[in-house]
Amino acid sequence: MKKLKEMGIDKAYVHLDGWGKMGYDNQHPDVLPPCEKAGGYKGMKELSDTCKSLDYIFATHDNYRDYYFDAETFDENQAVLNENGNVDMEATWAGGKQTYLCTTFAPYYVKRNFELLKNNGIELKGSYIDVFSVVELDECFHEEHKMSKKDCMDKRTECFNYVSSEGILTSSEEGCDWAIPHMNLVHHAPHALYPNIDTGRSRGIPVPLLNLVYHECIIIPWTLSKGGWGIPVPQDGFLYALLNGGVGYLSIEADKEEIERNKIVCQLSDRVAMCEMVVSHEFLDETCNKQKTVFSDGTFVEVDFDNDQYKIGNL
């Protein structure tokens, strides 16, 4: 963090993964105390304090939907019961065997964990609650805690609003209209790719529909490299960041070139972050690789994905 500050990163939002006692995607919601091998409470407080001294926002990755069977307080009675009277099971992520926590109980665990962190001197300025704004709304058929999709939405909203009430920036995975009023930023807004979202060419022609509606309401970061998560090969995420008036992702070991590109993105974001993207997103030629967006303060951005060029100006 100190090195990045020295290299010219004046402001940053630091998203910390894998800080729980067993590492990434493990034993949710019972992730405390923080991983001892990584420094435990003492080490996490040092990181939190360092970020604060650098004027960086310190944020954690968290999860209150994936419910792991080896979590310390796991209780199958608190799991989502499907319409057939069964508890769904999977083992997709690093933590192994899991089901889903009924969202009825999520606010309790959010408050419990955040209070524990605060009581141990860890000052959070941001929180990423994983999957809440990207996966479907759950239904639960358990007789003791029946939950409709609307109930699920309300409980997820309660979690976001509690975090916000603590003066902590809220975020989740992607832009979803019910969740946007309760979040400050999203993790990404990827375009659909083939063969998968991590790498490949675009399915159809990407259009910034989310930003056309919600640009001034939510912050969206973009990777600043060619291809990658939600960025069509061979197009440059740096140009998408400019076209959308967003912010940039930096690697933890960003080099000078990456930092300089990000400064360009940040300068534009400072200018248009609170502006609407008005309805004049345009394709400027038949290839659709030359595009233009206009923001409500009169700022326009033109990008050329074929030649990796851009232009920023005023109407």
Side-chain angles (χ1 to χ4, degrees):
M1 295 297 102
K2 292 175 180 176
K3 183 179 178 181
L4 288 174
K5 189 76 171 186
E6 291 170 2
M7 293 177 69
I9 301 298
D10 293 326
K11 295 184 289 185
Y13 179 98
V14 180
H15 172 104
L16 182 67
D17 287 323
W19 56 274
K21 61 185 174 185
M22 293 298 291
Y24 187 70
D25 276 356
N26 262 267
Q27 296 191 354
H28 288 290
D30 299 324
V31 293
L32 293 169
C35 180
E36 289 297 332
K37 291 182 179 180
Y41 275 120
K42 182 180 178 181
M44 194 170 178
K45 183 180 186 304
E46 182 183 356
L47 178 57
S48 168
D49 291 346
T50 299
C51 287
K52 184 178 181 179
S53 72
L54 299 173
D55 197 26
Y56 288 178
I57 294 168
F58 177 64
T60 53
H61 172 287
D62 219 339
N63 190 313
Y64 296 94
R65 183 177 186 257
D66 294 344
Y67 195 29
Y68 287 89
F69 280 75
D70 62 350
E72 185 177 346
T73 62
F74 178 81
D75 179 355
E76 193 167 303
N77 254 338
Q78 294 189 0
V80 168
L81 201 66
N82 65 31
E83 58 189 327
N84 297 317
N86 300 317
V87 171
D88 292 321
M89 286 180 275
E90 64 168 284
T92 304
W93 312 118
K97 190 178 178 183
Q98 65 155 96
T99 182
Y100 304 108
L101 178 69
C102 180
T103 321
T104 301
F105 301 103
Y108 163 77
Y109 288 109
V110 171
K111 293 173 185 177
R112 182 200 67 176
N113 287 358
F114 277 63
E115 285 293 322
L116 281 168
L117 288 171
K118 184 164 63 174
N119 291 341
N120 281 275
I122 295 166
E123 187 175 353
L124 290 182
K125 292 296 185 182
S127 174
Y128 170 82
I129 299 183
D130 202 3
V131 310
F132 266 14
S133 69
V134 69
V135 297
E136 68 274 10
L137 294 163
D138 295 314
E139 292 178 284
C140 182
F141 293 84
H142 196 292
E143 286 296 328
E144 295 177 13
H145 46 85
K146 283 186 177 179
M147 180 181 69
S148 67
K149 291 185 177 183
K150 176 62 166 58
D151 295 332
C152 178
M153 182 192 300
D154 291 342
K155 287 297 180 180
R156 290 184 187 180
T157 296
E158 185 179 336
C159 294
F160 285 135
N161 290 348
Y162 166 75
V163 172
S164 183
S165 74
E166 292 290 298
I168 299 169
L169 296 178
T170 56
S171 68
S172 191
E173 198 153 354
E174 292 184 16
C176 182
D177 58 356
W178 71 263
I180 283 176
H182 312 287
M183 298 193 297
N184 300 105
L185 63 147
V186 291
H187 211 45
H188 39 59
H191 295 300
L193 306 183
Y194 178 85
N196 62 65
I197 201 164
D198 189 44
T199 181
R201 296 186 177 273
S202 64
R203 295 176 180 265
I205 301 168
V207 176
L209 295 178
L210 183 66
N211 277 289
L212 281 165
V213 178
Y214 291 116
H215 179 268
E216 78 283 12
C217 304
I218 193 104
I219 295 170
I220 300 174
W222 298 83
T223 53
L224 303 181
S225 57
K226 291 196 173 184
W229 186 270
I231 304 295
V233 174
Q235 295 177 337
D236 195 341
F238 168 69
L239 296 181
Y240 274 109
L242 294 176
L243 186 72
N244 288 279
V247 297
Y249 270 120
L250 283 177
S251 60
I252 195 68
E253 296 179 340
D255 59 24
K256 186 175 180 180
E257 180 182 355
E258 189 179 354
I259 289 171
E260 289 305 312
R261 278 160 63 91
N262 185 61
K263 284 182 179 178
I264 297 169
V265 171
C266 287
Q267 287 168 1
L268 177 63
S269 179
D270 281 346
R271 183 165 153 184
V272 303
M274 303 300 290
C275 298
E276 294 178 327
M277 179 191 287
V278 291
V279 292
S280 54
H281 167 264
E282 300 175 75
F283 296 111
L284 301 178
D285 68 356
E286 292 182 358
T287 70
C288 296
N289 286 329
K290 293 182 177 64
Q291 300 181 31
K292 178 179 180 180
T293 52
V294 180
F295 298 90
S296 55
D297 69 341
T299 299
F300 71 83
V301 180
E302 294 180 7
V303 300
D304 180 349
F305 288 111
D306 288 330
N307 298 297
D308 292 334
Q309 295 178 342
Y310 68 92
K311 178 181 178 182
I312 301 170
N314 286 304
L315 294 177

